[in-house]
Amino acid sequence: MLQRRKGRVLSINMIVMDIWWHIHSLMSLRDAAHAACVSRAFLRSWRCYPNLTLDYDTLASETCASEMRNSDKIDCILKNHSGCLKALTLNLNCISISHRHLDSWLCLAVKPGTEDLTLLLPKRKYNFPCSLLSDGVRNSIRYLEIGFWGELECLLSNALSLEQLAFTNCMEITHLKIPCQLACLDITAWQRLQVIENKAPNVSSFCLYGKISKVLLGDTLHMKNVTLGRSNAVCYARAELPFIVPNL
């Protein structure tokens, strides 16, 4: 009888904890961190917080105010996390880091179950460690946003479930081939890119900022939203898009 009661109490406690953790996951990152400082339950929940956005503004806030360098703060947060991240944003444009640090953070944070990954880096090339994209990871990633990148072909070929892709300032790439599983594509400010070749039949949204010499959109039957930011955009849209994207 005592064992049954203990089992029921344990089950109730687990249900209560699940409710608390769900509430905690709905808070903003800053509020969730504040709550973790005053509650043991929320402290445990903080280590499982599903969506982390780590940038200069967040790390310089009162929540994280300390003598630690920003790179050390990121290191501490990710090392103390349980590794169950659903979404991770690392905006490192104003943070001094080494590639060794970034490799380590990605190994800690990108696991099977991670769906959204945003990496905004300083203006230098970075080779993504494609070994991180194990079977579990490449089957879970749905949204990817990257800036200043290398090894792009390796990345795209291993992200099998990718549905949304956004690029910013990828300086080295001249010819971009889009895989066949994407639904949304966003490309901004590419200096050397000359050709975009789309092989994805289900792209419904296409956003392009910058003048590209050649855009091969392929099958556009599902495309309904197009955003262009370029010189002569209106003339280009009127002259070309009715034939290229009939369902726009």
Side-chain angles (χ1 to χ4, degrees), residues 69-244:
R69 295 179 303 174
N70 286 326
S71 59
D72 292 333
K73 293 175 185 176
I74 295 175
D75 199 56
C76 181
I77 290 171
L78 292 180
K79 282 183 177 178
N80 283 283
H81 198 274
S82 68
C84 300
L85 277 173
K86 183 177 180 180
L88 173 66
T89 296
L90 285 175
N91 185 346
L92 306 175
N93 283 321
C94 299
I95 299 175
S96 178
I97 61 160
S98 67
H99 287 180
R100 178 177 55 84
H101 270 121
L102 185 51
D103 287 347
S104 173
W105 297 339
L106 292 174
C107 286
L108 289 169
V110 180
K111 304 289 184 182
T114 302
E115 296 182 3
D116 295 3
L117 179 60
T118 300
L119 295 173
L120 303 177
L121 308 177
K123 295 183 179 180
R124 54 181 174 172
K125 187 176 180 180
Y126 171 68
N127 290 327
F128 186 87
C130 290
S131 59
L132 287 178
L133 297 176
S134 64
D135 289 343
V137 174
R138 65 182 181 174
N139 288 327
S140 66
I141 290 287
R142 299 285 189 275
Y143 175 84
L144 179 65
E145 180 176 352
I146 56 180
F148 298 105
W149 212 257
E151 299 297 332
L152 186 58
E153 184 176 355
C154 166
L155 189 64
L156 293 180
S157 63
N158 282 281
L160 300 181
S161 298
L162 195 61
E163 296 174 356
Q164 299 182 56
L165 184 61
F167 297 104
T168 303
N169 295 322
C170 293
M171 312 260 305
E172 302 297 322
I173 297 172
T174 59
H175 190 141
L176 176 65
K177 294 182 179 180
I178 306 302
C180 62
Q181 67 269 24
L182 285 180
C184 298
L185 177 63
D186 187 340
I187 300 174
T188 304
W190 288 38
Q191 295 186 9
R192 297 183 59 188
L193 183 62
Q194 297 298 314
V195 179
I196 297 174
E197 186 177 351
N198 174 52
K199 295 184 178 180
N202 296 319
V203 172
S204 60
S205 178
F206 177 66
C207 181
L208 174 62
Y209 288 90
K211 188 173 181 179
I212 309 297
S213 299
K214 194 172 185 180
V215 179
L216 304 173
L217 291 179
D219 185 351
T220 59
L221 291 178
H222 296 279
M223 193 171 296
K224 297 182 179 178
N225 299 291
V226 174
T227 301
L228 296 176
R230 52 174 291 175
S231 60
N232 246 353
V234 175
C235 292
Y236 176 82
R238 291 181 63 185
E240 302 292 337
L241 292 186
F243 305 101
I244 299 173

Side-chain angles (χ1 to χ4, degrees), residues 58-69:
T58 301
L59 298 171
S61 70
E62 294 180 2
T63 303
C64 298
S66 72
E67 298 296 323
M68 296 174 66
R69 295 179 303 174

